[in-house]
Amino acid sequence: AQSVTQLGSHVSVSEGALVLLRCNYSSSVPPYLFWYVQYPNQGLQLLLKYTTGATLVKGINGFEAEFKKSETSFHLTKPSAHMSDAAEYFCALNNDMRFGAGTRLTVKP
Amino acid sequence: NAGVTQTPKFQVLKTGQSMTLQCAQDMNHNSMYWYRQDPGMGLRLIYYSASEGTTDKGEVPNGYNVSRLNKREFSLRLESAAPSQTSVYFCASSVWGQIINEQFFGPGTRLTVL
């Protein structure tokens, strides 16, 4: 069965620290994986996506994610958190429009 | 270019009442979607329309109906609202419903059913 699991509903980091948001998937076909960000009271916006090709994908606002087939993972990272990164982040398996439960990122000054 | 617009932004209904959520996009996209967002559950697909004239059920279609009025507009109807339908509803669109394409989301409708 197709599924997306985000580990950790809430992640808190200090400004300037590494951001790591975890996403694992299950798919019987080659996965197409997306990360979206949702700011308060807004819709979702695309951060980055993996379809085929390079497994390290760079997105907007300094975020990147690495597709690891052997680990069925697509974790999102950013080397240095900024206050403006505070939001909710969703991993999505676009093959059947399935979203993870979301991870709320808090950035402490 | 407004992108994806949704009306209303907020709505309170009583159990058993009906209402229609409206969605429009001005990006000339072919595919449109309705999701509901609930705490701890992420977004779940209710219905989608791959192209004008077609609609298909998603993961949680029970209690809802949809109409693809034209290429721009895709409405979601609750015929007899239930408290379990209290949620935030998002409409989205994409160029085509192909899995490589990103979706563009509206700002959402916050619905409370008493």
Side-chain angles (χ1 to χ4, degrees), chain A residues 10-59:
Chain A
H10 188 200
V11 170
S12 181
V13 301
S14 298
E15 194 172 18
L18 171 72
V19 175
L20 171 60
L21 305 182
R22 300 177 188 273
C23 173
N24 288 88
Y25 70 91
S26 173
S27 178
S28 56
V29 298
Y32 289 74
L33 294 160
F34 288 46
W35 275 101
Y36 286 88
V37 60
Q38 183 182 32
Y39 298 104
N41 300 314
Q42 294 185 26
L44 280 69
Q45 305 169 37
L46 181 70
L47 267 180
L48 49 79
K49 65 180 181 181
Y50 168 78
T51 54
T52 58
T55 56
L56 182 61
V57 181
K58 294 188 185 300

Side-chain angles (χ1 to χ4, degrees), chain B residues 27-79:
Chain B
M27 295 174 284
N28 201 33
H29 286 172
N30 293 286
S31 301
M32 298 185 73
Y33 313 81
W34 276 106
Y35 292 90
R36 59 178 290 171
Q37 182 180 24
D38 301 293
M41 302 189 75
L43 277 76
R44 291 180 292 169
L45 184 66
I46 305 171
Y47 273 93
Y48 66 100
S49 171
S51 62
E52 186 179 357
T54 70
T55 60
D56 286 286
K57 295 178 180 179
E59 184 183 354
V60 289
N62 291 346
Y64 305 96
N65 286 301
V66 289
S67 295
R68 184 73 184 266
L69 304 170
N70 47 55
K71 189 172 184 179
R72 290 186 63 249
E73 299 173 288
F74 188 39
S75 63
L76 178 71
R77 183 162 177 83
L78 288 70
E79 291 291 350

Side-chain angles (χ1 to χ4, degrees), chain A residues 75-95:
Chain A
H75 300 332
L76 182 70
T77 61
K78 181 174 180 178
S80 176
H82 191 273
M83 297 296 290
S84 61
D85 295 326
E88 189 150 22
Y89 293 80
F90 293 92
C91 183
L93 180 62
N94 221 46
N95 302 60

